[in-house]
């Protein structure tokens, strides 16, 4: 899922460079936050790059992943509504 978000950001940059700009610049910021958030959530699984790098990793990262995904859903809604 994180790769899909990263692909979407790259596609957004391609459209931006072609002169197709959103009405509001916050649309771009929300897209970057979404891609970064999904990238970190993907690394939070046990054995993941982010999980291994934590000094005191959580025993049950599922709660943090669920809260992070809820935040990402909110960002998706915000991106959609800001881009209209």
């Amino acid at each position: 899922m994180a790769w899909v978000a990263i692909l979407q950001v790259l596609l957004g940059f391609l459209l931006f460079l072609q002169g197709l700009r959103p009405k509001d610049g916050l649309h771009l910021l929300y897209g970057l936050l979404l891609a970064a958030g999904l990238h970190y959530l993907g690394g939070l699984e046990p054995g993941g790059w982010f999980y291994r790098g934590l000094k005191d990793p959580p025993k049950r990262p599922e709660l943090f992943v669920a809260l992070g995904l809820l935040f990402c859903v909110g960002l998706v809604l915000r991106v959609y509504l800001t881009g209209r």
Side-chain angles (χ1 to χ4, degrees), residues 9-82:
V9 168
L10 292 176
L11 199 61
F13 276 122
L14 178 68
L15 291 173
F16 185 79
L17 292 174
Q18 289 181 348
L20 300 170
R21 289 168 172 63
K23 294 177 187 175
D24 192 355
L26 282 177
H27 182 81
L28 300 172
L29 178 64
Y30 290 138
L32 287 173
L33 282 174
L34 179 63
L38 288 174
H39 180 68
Y40 280 99
L41 285 175
L44 193 55
E45 66 185 23
W49 67 271
F50 186 51
Y51 187 85
R52 288 190 315 256
L54 293 173
K55 181 180 178 183
D56 189 23
K59 292 184 192 308
R60 296 194 51 191
E62 298 89 10
L63 176 65
F64 296 103
V65 171
L67 290 174
L69 287 175
L70 184 62
F71 178 74
C72 288
V73 167
L75 277 177
V76 166
L77 292 174
R78 195 64 218 149
V79 166
Y80 178 73
L81 295 174
T82 302

